[in-house]
Amino acid sequence: MVATKSSYCHNCNGEVEAQVIPRSATYTFKGETFNIEERVLVCSCGEEIPDETLDSEVMKTLKKMYEERVGLSLNDIKEIRKHYGLSMEKFAKVLGWSKATIARYETGKYIPDSSHMSILKKLKERPEIIDDYYKLNKHKFSEKDQEKIEKQLEFSDHHTVERNLTEALMVNYKLYEKTEDSGYAPFSLDKLINMILFFTQSGIQKTLLMKTLFYSDFLSFKRNLVSITGTPYVKFPYGPVPKDYDLLLSTLEKNGVIDTNYDYDGEFTTITLAAKEEFEPTFFDEDEIEVMEKIKEFFQDKTSRFASEFSHEEAGWKYTDERDIISYEYAEALQLD
């Protein structure tokens, strides 16, 4: 049975029930030629009708075939930079590119051209050649940045430890993705890291950070029925915290993303976390940024004690057993709107 779709035909000057017709086609994409099977919308008069959905299918097919042919995926591009422990800005400067270019590549908004793809593929296969690019662009960095980058680009067992921690983190969270335990969202380490960077730019106490993460994800779910990061949260005595939060924070610290500072006043030890990298807003949409800004504003002048006691009034904390995951279904009763 041939699929049909209602659309406007300029030739017929009116709404028609057009047929979705499969056909063979040849496209040139990023300098590469591909033969594909596409679907087009055709009126009974023979006129081909533009259709955004079917055009999007073609673009997705071309992107996938291009990635397969060159041997490098969008996820690979993200992992290449993470392997070196460099921010988008520093990684771009090492390669002589712009930060915006790296951001577009990593978010999938733009596919690298053949020259950039070739460089990225080489870096994936032979990570040590990053030194060659760094030497070419070393003059663009301050002496302080040069010292930091040269330390980060040392290939040793230390990098293996960092990668193992990151992999363990991914496994722990991906077990729960797209369920009520994660807010029905796929887990995004990029979003979680940058949400932490958002709240730690000026330094923030550890307990308060845990609550801002919880409220950001749960308020997003309350408004849009999907969390921001896909992170599961657990009930602890001082309020909700991300599952395996100790592993999360130690991973970020070992990878140079955040600093942990301890202050002992003779009675209590205060733990403050501060960002060492810039927050990357490109990972979030406008609604997600709005939610995070609302949470930041609400807790801006609050203490960790206030945040802890405030979270104890949430149904999700009250009706969840100690150290169990808090279901996002409780977000409907969240105190914040």
Side-chain angles (χ1 to χ4, degrees), residues 28 31 44-45 90 92 105 140 164 181 197 216 261 270 312 326:
T28 299
S44 59
C45 72
K90 287 187 173 65
Y105 290 167
K140 298 178 180 179
N164 288 343
D181 291 336
L197 290 174
S216 294
N261 301 300
T270 301
H312 288 177
I326 301 172

Side-chain angles (χ1 to χ4, degrees), residues 205 207-208 302-310:
Q205 290 188 9
T207 300
L208 192 53
K302 307 297 193 298
T303 63
S304 291
R305 181 175 180 178
F306 170 86
S308 180
E309 292 176 351
F310 186 78

Side-chain angles (χ1 to χ4, degrees), residues 172 176 179-182 218 231-235 241 243 316 319-328 330:
N172 283 359
Y176 303 92
T179 69
E180 68 179 46
D181 291 336
S182 65
F218 270 66
T231 300
Y233 291 85
V234 176
K235 175 178 178 176
V241 297
K243 187 180 185 303
Y319 303 120
T320 301
D321 291 334
E322 191 83 4
R323 295 184 180 271
D324 278 356
I325 292 176
I326 301 172
S327 170
Y328 274 84
Y330 286 113

Side-chain angles (χ1 to χ4, degrees), residues 210-252:
M210 298 296 101
K211 306 305 166 284
T212 59
L213 299 178
F214 166 79
Y215 277 103
S216 294
D217 270 326
F218 270 66
L219 180 56
S220 174
F221 187 87
K222 182 178 183 179
R223 290 181 173 184
N224 306 308
L225 297 180
V226 65
S227 68
I228 296 175
T229 68
T231 300
Y233 291 85
V234 176
K235 175 178 178 176
F236 265 57
Y238 292 101
V241 297
K243 187 180 185 303
D244 301 314
Y245 71 96
D246 281 333
L247 174 61
L248 169 65
L249 296 180
S250 66
T251 299
L252 298 187

Side-chain angles (χ1 to χ4, degrees), residues 74-107:
L74 172 63
N75 190 58
D76 288 330
I77 296 173
K78 294 179 182 179
E79 292 303 317
I80 289 168
R81 178 178 63 83
K82 290 180 187 176
H83 173 77
Y84 299 116
L86 296 173
S87 66
M88 283 189 182
E89 183 175 7
K90 287 187 173 65
F91 185 54
K93 198 180 288 187
V94 166
L95 296 179
W97 303 349
S98 70
K99 178 183 173 182
T101 295
I102 297 296
R104 286 195 291 265
Y105 290 167
E106 290 195 4
T107 56

Side-chain angles (χ1 to χ4, degrees), residues 153-271:
L153 296 184
E154 290 175 1
F155 292 92
S156 65
D157 290 338
H158 178 63
H159 287 277
T160 302
V161 171
E162 291 173 358
R163 289 197 301 275
N164 288 343
L165 281 171
T166 304
E167 289 169 4
L169 199 61
M170 292 290 290
V171 170
N172 283 359
Y173 287 145
K174 278 188 170 291
L175 288 172
Y176 303 92
E177 69 176 4
K178 298 182 181 180
T179 69
E180 68 179 46
D181 291 336
S182 65
Y184 297 104
F187 173 66
S188 171
L189 184 57
D190 286 323
K191 280 189 171 183
L192 180 55
I193 289 174
N194 277 281
M195 185 186 285
I196 291 172
L197 290 174
F198 177 81
F199 289 113
T200 58
Q201 286 299 301
S202 301
I204 187 173
Q205 290 188 9
K206 180 179 175 181
T207 300
L208 192 53
L209 173 65
M210 298 296 101
K211 306 305 166 284
T212 59
L213 299 178
F214 166 79
Y215 277 103
S216 294
D217 270 326
F218 270 66
L219 180 56
S220 174
F221 187 87
K222 182 178 183 179
R223 290 181 173 184
N224 306 308
L225 297 180
V226 65
S227 68
I228 296 175
T229 68
T231 300
Y233 291 85
V234 176
K235 175 178 178 176
F236 265 57
Y238 292 101
V241 297
K243 187 180 185 303
D244 301 314
Y245 71 96
D246 281 333
L247 174 61
L248 169 65
L249 296 180
S250 66
T251 299
L252 298 187
E253 185 176 17
K254 289 180 184 297
N255 280 279
V257 178
I258 59 172
D259 258 337
T260 304
N261 301 300
Y262 300 85
D263 183 31
Y264 182 63
D265 63 5
E267 186 177 2
F268 300 103
T269 298
T270 301
I271 303 175

